Amino acid sequence: MAATAQDASAPLRGPDKKDEDRDEDTEYSPFFGIEKGAVLQEARIFNESHINARQCQQVITKLLYLLCQGETFSKKEASEVFFSVTKLFQNRDANLRRMVYLVIKDVCPSADEVIIITSSLMKDMNSKTDLYRSNAIRVLCSITDTQLLAQIERYLKQAVVDKSAVVASAVLVSAFHLVSHSTEIVKRWTNEIQEAVQSKHSMVQFHAVALLHALRANDRLAVSKLVSSLVKGSVRSTLAQVLLVRYVAQVIQESGPRQPGETGSFYDFLESCLRHKNDMVTVEAARAICNMKEVTTRELTPAVTVLQLMLSSSKPVIRFAAVRTLNKVAMSHPMSVTNCNIDMESLISDQNRSIATLAITTLLKTGNESSVDRLLKQIGTFMTDIADEFKIVVVEAIRSLCLKFPQKYRALMNFLSGVLREDGGFEYKKAIVDSILILIREIPDAKESGLAHLCEFIEDCEFTYLSTQVLHLLGMEGPRTKEPAKYIRYIYNRVILENATVRAAAVSSLAQFGALVEDLRPRIQVLLKRALHDNDDEVRDRATLYLSQLEGGGSGEEAVQPQWDVPFKNLEASLRAYLQNGAQHAFDLGSVAREVPESPGHAKKQAKEAKKGRDAGLPAAAARAPKASEYADQLKKVPQFAKYGQLFKSSEPVQLTEEETEYNIVVIKHVFPNHTVLQFQCTNTVQEQVLEDVSVSVDLSDAEGFEEEAVLPLARMVYGEVGHSYVALARPEGATLVGKFTNVLKFTVKEIDPTSGEEEEDGYSDEYTLEDLEVGTSDYVKQEGVADFRSAWEEMDESTELADSYGLGHRDSMQEAVEAVIAILGMQVCEGTDAVAPNARSHSALLSGIFIGDATSLVRLKFGIEASTREVAMHVTVRSDTLDVSELVHQIIQDA
């Protein structure tokens, strides 16, 4: 029967056999070359007077094989097979009878044919042979409809509590399948099923527990009650115990958030299962605890301890289950898994490469800086022996480790470049390239080495997508490096050697160098002229375009990529309207609207994001706010702000109205070198009104130094749509002014007639008082990481160092205190120091950031907590480019 897993269309043969040896050594599949017509002809032996049981079994096996391979029988063919098979009930051979049951189930006789076999099956159901009874029950429940099922219900109910475990399990499993279409009938067996739960047979108990849960699956309260009763009862079956653990985990998952420190009886049950004598139950209980939402370190500790013991098990499956669970825990609670590192290091050399891979990735997530080099050396010994899917897991773990310990980027980058040169599929190579791209973006010092490794990669890259991705990156980042000329050779090689898509990407990349590096421009123009004779029109067109742009004398990024601030959708609509109106005058590009109306799909997306925000406790308007990366693009579309220079920082959205009020206003503070722009995101929630000329009046009496420079009102504010009004405030150059603004929303109201739906022509002026808005020192600092904090700290001038101590008051945990201070300062966490060890009494955190004016600041935080009072004290040491910036950091903490 093992041969059924092989290709039925070809005989089996050894992989290394020579052609001349095939006649002697070839093994043929018993199903090789079988055809439905021939098998149906063979099925006629079922009608013979003297039945050969062994031969009939072989024919039935072929019929079942055809059915399993997706072969379909016509109604006539199915009927002939069914009627022929029914005659085999006369034979008393037990093995043949089992095959008959199987083929009747798979042939699926029609309703008018079922009645023919029902009497034989009911006779078997009342037989003294348990094998006949159990199989007859399975077949009857499979082929009968609800009406006939009601007639045999009495027999089925009795079978649930039958003394024979085989019969009881058969009816319970059949009932499990009947629940989908005959639920009411099965529900009438509840008392018998409850009795089966107390059975001394483990398989019967397992099936009974599963059936009881299936009957209550759609009622959360009923499931909770069932699980509560089973937890208190005596479920002895190992399989039933595993099921119960899963059901308990499901109830905990659906029960909603728990109070801190609250465990409950369900968690106590899971913890007791950790001490079960069967490994299967123990693993399942440990997994359930580790997968709990908002699980605390105290709740996690018993499960991690049990999993740690399993790492040294002699059974590979137990070791695999333990290390896989710990690998998932390490993603959310890395500190809880650190105690297992010594045990996991022994698994790196495990014969099972899946176990070794999971062990090494877990160590990468939980290891410290000193162990990185040793782990990388161990990984290299088996990377070639594992599948690509496991290699991707390793690469992702290395990427996370590099972001955690940026100063180790050289060793980790070298490892990634090494595996990048090895053989592998597209997804594996893409994971490595994506990892290098992320490291280049997040770690500035890694840019040069990362680009060098990618240049070597595209020299022998077989994937067009990855080549174009790397070429685009070289065009964006290469011109800004110290030696941009060294990348030209790698890029131009692609113009000569690659396919048309890659050649076009290489031409675009070369043009970037020509635009941004003036010294290289003449050489780039020569190379682009060579591309004018390319076979592909896309390559020729790009070369022609970029040559004309570069020869025009332009410089900078806009020389080859001009900024186009006109939405194409609006341009198309304006051109259509222009043509429909007769085109009597020249088309004015300035008449095209720059704001893009929201599409229904985008509105749905915003509603989904708003729901997520509400679930997280954010106001609805704040939840709908765009991401920080989108603000700069929005401000570029406002001509009045073009002269303000580079945007330094955009704050998080601040709600200025209550959630249920008629007007929903959110403000975002944008900081420029000499200006602060307040962007008011306005939403009208009154369906019977349209607001026009909407603006915010900002009172600056409590904010000295600010001067109002421009107010950009929102022309029209329709129900349900989001619009923006702006107020631009001037500041002295580089000044970090602070203050409080009083805000009043001013607008013109036009009522909408509820019957006609049209708005009235005349409106009236009105205003609405908003919440006050504060601008603090923290608005002038943004996150900026450093590759090596220790070196950067030592390079700072010691004369700029300022230190002071602060009391943070009562805190529930050290982690809470650390997160609060990091949020107040708004700076970048370095070297993963935001994670606090469980039950730690002290902790140190490292932060870095840039203040407006490009002044770098580094902060060392030291925390201590009193065990009895939970009072937290903090010592802050700051070094910056200037002493004034160090004072600003302390000012932020004092103002909080």
Side-chain angles (χ1 to χ4, degrees):
M1 294 300 291
T4 59
Q6 304 292 331
D7 184 4
S9 62
L12 303 178
R13 61 173 63 93
D16 299 322
K17 298 295 181 183
K18 297 180 180 179
D19 292 342
E20 57 267 22
D21 297 332
R22 286 181 182 173
D23 292 339
E24 297 179 5
D25 298 334
T26 300
E27 297 178 6
Y28 286 91
S29 166
F31 304 110
F32 173 63
I34 66 172
E35 296 179 358
K36 183 177 72 172
V39 175
L40 291 176
Q41 288 288 338
E42 291 181 34
R44 293 182 178 179
I45 64 171
F46 301 158
N47 300 318
E48 294 179 359
S49 55
H50 298 287
I51 294 176
N52 185 328
R54 184 173 179 80
Q55 193 174 1
C56 289
Q57 290 177 49
Q58 292 176 350
V59 175
I60 292 177
T61 302
K62 292 180 181 180
L63 285 169
L64 293 173
Y65 174 78
L66 290 173
L67 290 169
C68 291
Q69 293 299 311
E71 192 74 53
T72 56
F73 289 1
S74 66
K75 182 174 177 58
K76 181 180 178 182
E77 291 170 341
S79 297
E80 289 178 355
V81 170
F82 173 71
F83 284 116
S84 299
V85 167
T86 57
K87 297 178 181 179
L88 298 179
F89 272 96
Q90 301 172 7
N91 193 284
R92 296 185 178 277
D93 187 273
N95 291 328
L96 177 60
R97 181 67 61 89
R98 295 174 70 182
M99 300 295 288
V100 169
Y101 291 133
L102 286 174
V103 77
I104 289 175
K105 281 175 62 179
D106 285 354
V107 168
C108 296
S110 58
D112 53 344
E113 296 170 345
V114 169
I115 193 67
I116 298 170
I117 198 68
T118 303
S119 59
S120 297
L121 290 172
M122 291 186 68
K123 181 180 177 182
D124 281 356
M125 197 167 65
N126 295 311
S127 170
K128 294 182 180 180
T129 307
D130 291 343
L131 182 65
Y132 290 176
R133 293 171 61 199
S134 59
N135 285 318
I137 289 171
R138 288 191 177 95
V139 176
L140 272 172
C141 292
S142 175
I143 67 175
T144 55
D145 56 11
T146 305
Q147 184 177 359
L148 185 57
L149 192 64
Q151 299 177 15
I152 62 173
E153 180 185 357
R154 179 169 61 88
Y155 299 103
L156 296 177
K157 285 178 68 174
Q158 291 175 354
V160 173
V161 292
D162 196 275
K163 293 180 180 179
S164 171
V166 175
V167 176
S169 283
V171 71
L172 288 170
V173 172
S174 300
F176 195 87
H177 296 295
L178 290 173
V179 167
S180 59
H181 57 86
S182 304
T183 310
E184 294 304 319
I185 291 178
V186 180
K187 280 184 177 180
R188 294 200 287 264
W189 310 350
T190 302
N191 292 335
E192 287 76 11
I193 300 171
Q194 292 278 13
E195 188 175 340
V197 171
Q198 308 302 324
S199 172
K200 62 181 180 180
H201 299 288
S202 61
M203 193 59 70
V204 174
Q205 194 175 59
F206 165 63
H207 290 144
V209 169
L211 182 56
L212 281 177
H213 181 268
L215 290 172
R216 295 163 171 78
N218 297 324
D219 187 344
R220 185 182 299 179
L221 181 60
V223 170
S224 181
K225 289 181 177 178
L226 170 66
V227 172
S228 298
S229 63
L230 292 174
V231 166
K232 298 173 184 176
S234 55
V235 177
R236 295 179 300 275
S237 166
T238 302
L239 293 172
Q241 194 84 5
V242 170
L243 267 187
L244 187 53
V245 168
R246 292 183 180 180
Y247 297 154
V248 168
Q250 178 188 351
V251 172
I252 294 175
Q253 193 83 357
E254 295 174 351
S255 61
R258 298 171 295 143
Q259 295 298 323
E262 179 186 350
T263 56
S265 58
F266 287 146
Y267 172 80
D268 294 338
F269 170 76
L270 293 178
E271 192 174 6
S272 68
C273 289
L274 294 175
R275 298 182 290 275
H276 199 278
K277 60 183 179 181
N278 187 281
D279 289 335
M280 186 164 54
V281 178
T282 308
V283 169
E284 195 66 37
R287 284 180 56 200
I289 292 175
C290 294
N291 292 334
M292 284 170 55
K293 291 190 299 185
E294 301 175 1
V295 63
T296 63
T297 305
R298 189 187 70 79
E299 294 168 343
L300 205 56
T301 302
V304 172
T305 303
V306 169
L307 292 170
Q308 183 178 2
L309 295 173
M310 291 182 173
L311 294 175
S312 55
S313 171
S314 59
K315 301 176 182 177
V317 68
I318 298 298
R319 297 199 303 274
F320 178 80
V323 73
R324 190 171 116 176
T325 306
L326 288 172
N327 186 275
K328 292 181 180 179
V329 175
M331 296 179 186
S332 54
H333 297 80
M335 300 304 296
S336 299
V337 187
T338 51
N339 294 333
C340 307
N341 285 2
I342 296 175
D343 298 276
M344 274 188 287
E345 285 188 15
S346 63
L347 295 180
I348 296 176
S349 56
D350 196 283
Q351 293 180 350
N352 188 310
R353 287 311 186 192
S354 300
I355 296 175
T357 304
L358 288 170
I360 200 71
T361 52
T362 308
L363 286 169
L364 288 173
K365 294 171 187 174
T366 60
N368 52 36
E369 186 177 348
S370 60
S371 63
V372 171
D373 294 328
R374 177 168 48 82
L375 290 174
L376 289 179
K377 187 179 293 184
Q378 290 173 313
I379 294 172
T381 59
F382 69 86
M383 278 293 283
T384 56
D385 300 335
I386 59 177
D388 278 4
E389 56 183 328
F390 288 113
K391 291 180 182 178
I392 292 172
V393 174
V394 173
V395 168
E396 291 173 349
I398 290 175
R399 179 178 66 200
S400 302
L401 187 69
C402 194
L403 295 175
K404 184 178 179 182
F405 303 117
Q407 60 274 22
K408 285 290 183 181
Y409 76 89
R410 287 188 180 86
L412 294 166
M413 190 73 81
N414 289 335
F415 178 84
L416 290 175
S417 67
V419 295
L420 189 59
R421 289 191 291 269
E422 297 174 359
D423 294 335
F426 172 73
E427 291 298 334
Y428 173 46
K429 297 286 187 179
K430 183 176 181 297
I432 301 173
V433 172
D434 289 344
S435 297
I436 295 177
L437 295 182
I438 291 172
L439 298 182
I440 290 174
R441 185 176 68 244
E442 298 294 333
I443 306 175
D445 292 346
K447 181 190 292 186
E448 296 275 353
S449 59
L451 292 178
H453 293 316
L454 291 176
C455 284
E456 293 178 7
F457 168 64
I458 60 174
E459 285 289 303
D460 190 26
C461 178
E462 58 183 316
F463 303 110
T464 299
Y465 174 83
L466 297 181
S467 294
T468 55
Q469 188 179 18
V470 172
L471 287 168
H472 175 73
L473 177 73
L474 288 172
M476 299 300 294
E477 300 294 341
R480 298 176 173 85
T481 57
K482 296 177 182 178
E483 300 178 33
K486 66 182 181 181
Y487 302 109
I488 302 299
R489 174 173 64 88
Y490 296 102
I491 299 173
Y492 187 66
N493 282 348
R494 310 280 65 75
V495 179
I496 301 172
L497 303 172
E498 295 288 354
N499 59 51
T501 304
V502 178
R503 296 201 304 271
V507 167
S508 298
S509 183
L510 286 173
Q512 289 284 351
F513 281 83
L516 296 173
V517 186
E518 191 171 350
D519 295 341
L520 294 177
R521 191 172 303 162
R523 296 158 62 183
I524 297 296
Q525 289 174 338
V526 172
L527 297 178
L528 290 177
K529 286 178 182 177
R530 295 180 183 177
L532 293 175
H533 306 289
D534 195 275
N535 296 330
D536 186 74
D537 56 352
E538 173 70 17
V539 179
R540 295 195 303 271
D541 290 347
R542 289 196 187 192
T544 305
L545 173 65
Y546 294 139
L547 267 174
S548 64
Q549 290 172 334
L550 292 176
E551 290 172 352
S555 62
E557 219 169 328
E558 294 192 3
V560 292
Q561 288 186 348
Q563 294 295 327
W564 180 259
D565 61 346
V566 180
F568 287 105
K569 184 183 289 187
N570 294 1
L571 178 62
E572 181 186 4
S574 299
L575 286 171
R576 289 183 183 278
Y578 171 74
L579 294 174
Q580 289 175 359
N581 294 334
Q584 298 177 357
H585 52 82
F587 180 75
D588 182 13
L589 191 62
S591 64
V592 182
R594 264 53 175 178
E595 293 290 333
V596 182
E598 282 190 1
S599 65
H602 183 66
K604 289 181 180 178
K605 183 179 177 182
Q606 281 195 334
K608 193 177 292 185
E609 290 178 355
K611 183 180 184 302
K612 289 182 180 177
R614 286 194 300 271
D615 294 342
L618 293 174
R624 289 193 300 269
K627 297 177 181 178
S629 59
E630 300 175 8
Y631 291 134
D633 295 334
Q634 290 183 359
L635 295 174
K636 281 182 181 178
K637 298 176 183 178
V638 183
Q640 290 85 340
F641 302 152
K643 60 183 179 181
Y644 289 175
Q646 184 70 30
L647 176 65
F648 176 74
K649 179 185 178 181
S650 295
S651 71
E652 293 296 320
V654 179
Q655 189 81 18
L656 297 182
T657 57
E658 297 293 335
E659 181 68 25
E660 61 276 358
T661 55
E662 54 266 49
Y663 310 120
N664 210 318
I665 309 298
V666 173
V667 64
I668 302 97
K669 296 170 280 187
H670 304 290
V671 178
F672 291 86
N674 304 324
H675 295 81
T676 298
V677 175
L678 304 180
Q679 177 183 353
F680 295 93
Q681 182 176 292
C682 310
T683 307
N684 176 19
T685 61
V686 182
Q687 196 166 2
E688 296 79 14
Q689 291 181 352
V690 172
L691 309 184
E692 294 183 349
D693 194 24
V694 182
S695 63
V696 178
S697 174
V698 179
D699 184 359
L700 304 177
S701 57
D702 292 336
E704 295 182 5
F706 287 100
E707 293 183 7
E708 187 176 286
E709 186 171 289
V711 177
L712 305 181
L714 173 61
R716 188 175 175 82
M717 190 169 161
V718 183
Y719 167 74
E721 292 187 3
V722 179
H724 299 94
S725 174
Y726 299 91
V727 175
L729 306 175
R731 299 189 329 269
E733 185 174 356
T736 55
L737 301 180
V738 298
K740 181 183 290 187
F741 305 146
T742 303
N743 310 294
V744 178
L745 184 69
K746 296 186 176 182
F747 48 86
T748 300
V749 181
K750 288 189 177 180
E751 301 288 345
I752 295 179
D753 189 343
T755 56
S756 63
E758 297 180 356
E759 63 182 78
E760 298 177 356
E761 293 184 3
D762 299 327
Y764 60 90
S765 299
D766 200 356
E767 60 183 39
Y768 188 88
T769 303
L770 306 176
E771 298 287 340
D772 292 344
L773 174 67
E774 289 189 4
V775 174
T777 310
S778 60
D779 291 319
Y780 299 100
V781 60
K782 68 176 180 179
Q783 297 181 351
E784 184 73 22
V786 292
D788 189 343
F789 186 91
R790 182 180 302 174
S791 300
W793 179 269
E794 292 174 353
E795 290 172 3
M796 285 284 184
D797 188 357
E798 292 185 11
S799 63
T800 64
E801 182 175 313
L802 281 180
D804 203 350
S805 297
Y806 302 91
L808 302 183
H810 178 82
R811 298 284 176 174
D812 290 335
S813 66
M814 179 76 77
Q815 184 70 52
E816 179 192 343
V818 173
E819 291 174 355
V821 174
I822 292 173
I824 290 170
L825 290 174
M827 302 176 80
Q828 176 70 43
V829 178
C830 299
E831 302 179 10
T833 52
D834 54 335
V836 181
N839 304 318
R841 299 281 298 278
S842 61
H843 182 72
S844 296
L846 308 176
L847 307 178
S848 65
I850 291 183
F851 277 79
I852 192 159
D854 290 333
T856 302
S857 181
L858 303 178
V859 181
R860 288 180 182 267
L861 304 175
K862 293 183 179 180
F863 298 86
I865 186 169
E866 179 62 37
S868 57
T869 61
R870 311 302 294 174
E871 295 286 328
V872 178
M874 176 180 67
H875 185 75
V876 181
T877 308
V878 185
R879 285 188 184 180
S880 308
D881 287 344
T882 65
L883 185 61
D884 293 339
V885 172
S886 297
E887 292 175 348
L888 287 175
V889 175
H890 284 278
Q891 189 64 44
I892 294 173
I893 298 174
Q894 293 165 9
D895 294 342

